[in-house]
Amino acid sequence: MSDMTTPAFPSAPDAAALERGAILAPRFNAEGLVAAVATDASTGEVLMLAWMNAVALERTLATGEAHYFSRSRQTLWRKGETSGQVQTVQEIRVDCDQDALWLKVVVGGDGGACHVGFRSCFYRVVEDGALVERP
């Protein structure tokens, strides 16, 4: 599929189908994005939060490797394309109203997910109103 073609995910016909049905009908926001949380498939550790557009989700489903949409660069990207931290998807879950995704992944390369060099993008803790690094 080319970057110019947006896959069409179906709409759920009603709330029951959206919340309990078997149809994958992601509810993209006004910008055409859905939040995607990636966790380590074996430990459950939260690695990162990213965004997917319809093309990123379709490519993830088709390839088994996580693809995301960069809001800052306005472009599709495959996680690990330059870093080697390819995320092989083991399972995708969708929340009750299908406006968020949870990807359980196995990370390649050095096992990290954060472009700053940490394993998880959530490497800072709020303590007394200040951020403290806690890898």
Side-chain angles (χ1 to χ4, degrees):
M1 165 167 286
S2 79
D3 287 326
M4 302 307 291
T5 306
T6 301
F9 285 95
S11 295
D14 54 37
L18 182 72
E19 296 170 353
R20 302 295 299 264
I23 298 170
L24 176 60
R27 292 181 48 220
F28 298 97
N29 66 16
E31 290 77 37
L33 303 173
V34 63
V37 175
T39 65
D40 183 285
S42 62
T43 68
E45 176 184 15
V46 176
L47 300 173
M48 59 184 277
L49 168 73
W51 297 91
M52 289 184 161
N53 63 7
V55 174
L57 179 54
E58 188 275 337
R59 291 224 178 132
T60 299
L61 293 168
T63 66
E65 293 181 348
H67 289 71
Y68 300 105
F69 184 81
S70 170
R71 295 180 301 165
S72 61
R73 292 175 289 160
Q74 291 292 296
T75 189
L76 185 72
W77 56 285
R78 180 176 64 92
K79 179 63 178 158
E81 197 164 16
T82 58
S83 68
Q85 299 169 339
V86 173
Q87 293 179 350
T88 303
V89 178
Q90 301 299 298
E91 179 178 275
I92 298 177
R93 291 188 179 225
V94 61
D95 76 337
C96 54
D97 58 356
Q98 297 201 43
D99 65 359
L101 303 172
W102 174 13
L103 283 67
K104 295 182 181 185
V105 301
V106 173
V107 182
D110 65 8
C114 184
H115 76 282
V116 177
F118 291 89
R119 174 164 167 72
S120 169
C121 292
F122 295 91
Y123 58 88
R124 294 180 287 183
V125 177
V126 178
E127 289 184 2
D128 298 322
L131 296 178
V132 178
E133 285 187 11
R134 293 270 161 71

